[in-house]
Amino acid sequence: MALKHESIAQHHSVQHALRVLETVARRGVGVTGTELGNETGLPADRLAPLLRMLRREGYVEQTSDGAYVTGETLTGLGSAQGREDALTTSLQRTLDRLRETVGAAVYLSRYVDGEIRITQFAQGPTTPAVNEWVDFRSAALASAIGKSLLGQLDLNGRRDHLSRHKMARLTSRTITNERVLLSKLDAQPATVPVLDLQEYAVGTVCAAVPITAGSSVGCLALSLPLEHAHRLHHAADTLNRGAAPLLLSLAI
């Protein structure tokens, strides 16, 4: 239940952030925190952390007199010419920060044209990415990323994907029965992280949370070596709480 409430809170946070950004962009010459509170209707205890996040991510900047103006990230995302580069840069910055926060490799994935695609990821010397020993596109039944993305499709979409990718046993924990897998996907609450407990690769555990931006199907995921499995639920919780900047970048 805690993670469900966190997911709902993240979406509310993004809506509030968009409201703040619209106000800053509309005013153009700068707007004070007090004016933002009055115009957006957000109380100070909710507005203050939003402004800290927006400054950290470069969406707004604060002038010498304390007013808020449009930041470099928002300017880049608002430009049709530079939007893709600005979006990639913004998302990568957030993924790198999340990697440091959760102490795990972090992945952003989308379901595009009937296939699973890991569009960006962040890893480091002590947080290596999963060894893709089987193409993730054909291992949806086993990976947290795959199950999270399939879980966001309707039944026909799930069956279509499975009809194109044979359900092979990757480890002793892999679900290879289509009926069982579909039943588990159907029972999975949309706002609760999907787990992979050595289903894709022996010695690795993963978690994925959905990233919903309009009609786009996506997810944010992390991977940990088995010896850190005790951190998985807490890391997934932290990942879920840190998803707001990603959702905001995709929503603008």
Side-chain angles (χ1 to χ4, degrees), residues 7 35 56-58 110 113 222 235 248:
S7 181
E35 290 171 330
R56 184 183 69 234
E57 299 294 331
R110 309 269 190 87
D113 297 330
L222 63 86
L248 184 58

Side-chain angles (χ1 to χ4, degrees), residues 35-103:
E35 290 171 330
L36 279 171
N38 291 336
E39 294 198 30
T40 62
L42 295 172
D45 62 346
R46 189 169 299 172
L47 181 60
L50 270 180
L51 287 171
R52 284 197 297 271
M53 183 271 284
L54 293 173
R55 287 183 62 192
R56 184 183 69 234
E57 299 294 331
Y59 288 103
V60 300
E61 296 174 0
Q62 201 165 14
T63 63
S64 57
D65 61 359
Y68 293 93
V69 295
T70 299
E72 184 179 346
T73 299
L74 183 59
T75 301
L77 290 175
S79 166
Q81 183 176 3
R83 174 173 167 73
E84 285 305 313
D85 287 343
L87 179 60
T88 298
T89 300
S90 176
L91 293 174
Q92 191 62 50
R93 183 170 57 240
T94 304
L95 289 174
D96 289 340
R97 186 176 295 115
L98 283 172
R99 175 187 59 78
E100 295 177 2
T101 301
V102 301

Side-chain angles (χ1 to χ4, degrees), residues 14-188:
V14 169
Q15 293 303 315
H16 294 158
L18 288 172
R19 195 186 310 169
V20 170
L21 292 179
E22 288 170 0
T23 304
V24 172
R26 185 175 65 249
R27 291 290 292 272
V29 295
V31 55
T32 67
T34 299
E35 290 171 330
L36 279 171
N38 291 336
E39 294 198 30
T40 62
L42 295 172
D45 62 346
R46 189 169 299 172
L47 181 60
L50 270 180
L51 287 171
R52 284 197 297 271
M53 183 271 284
L54 293 173
R55 287 183 62 192
R56 184 183 69 234
E57 299 294 331
Y59 288 103
V60 300
E61 296 174 0
Q62 201 165 14
T63 63
S64 57
D65 61 359
Y68 293 93
V69 295
T70 299
E72 184 179 346
T73 299
L74 183 59
T75 301
L77 290 175
S79 166
Q81 183 176 3
R83 174 173 167 73
E84 285 305 313
D85 287 343
L87 179 60
T88 298
T89 300
S90 176
L91 293 174
Q92 191 62 50
R93 183 170 57 240
T94 304
L95 289 174
D96 289 340
R97 186 176 295 115
L98 283 172
R99 175 187 59 78
E100 295 177 2
T101 301
V102 301
V106 178
Y107 315 79
L108 181 63
S109 185
R110 309 269 190 87
Y111 195 76
V112 182
D113 297 330
E115 297 295 349
I116 292 167
R117 294 184 184 176
I118 294 179
T119 53
Q120 288 177 249
F121 66 95
Q123 65 171 339
T126 60
T127 55
V130 172
N131 174 32
E132 190 177 350
W133 74 285
V134 174
D135 193 324
F136 281 126
R137 291 177 298 178
S138 58
L141 72 162
S143 69
I145 287 174
K147 289 186 289 184
S148 179
L149 294 176
L150 290 184
Q152 297 175 63
L153 305 179
D154 60 21
L155 180 58
N156 288 336
R158 295 170 187 171
R159 284 177 168 164
D160 172 70
H161 185 93
L162 295 175
S163 71
R164 292 182 285 106
H165 296 282
K166 183 180 179 181
M167 297 182 67
R169 185 176 298 281
L170 306 183
T171 76
S172 62
R173 294 174 176 265
T174 305
I175 298 172
T176 57
N177 183 293
E178 180 175 320
R179 181 183 58 79
V180 173
L181 178 62
L182 290 175
S183 177
K184 285 185 174 294
L185 292 176
D186 193 51
Q188 173 75 28

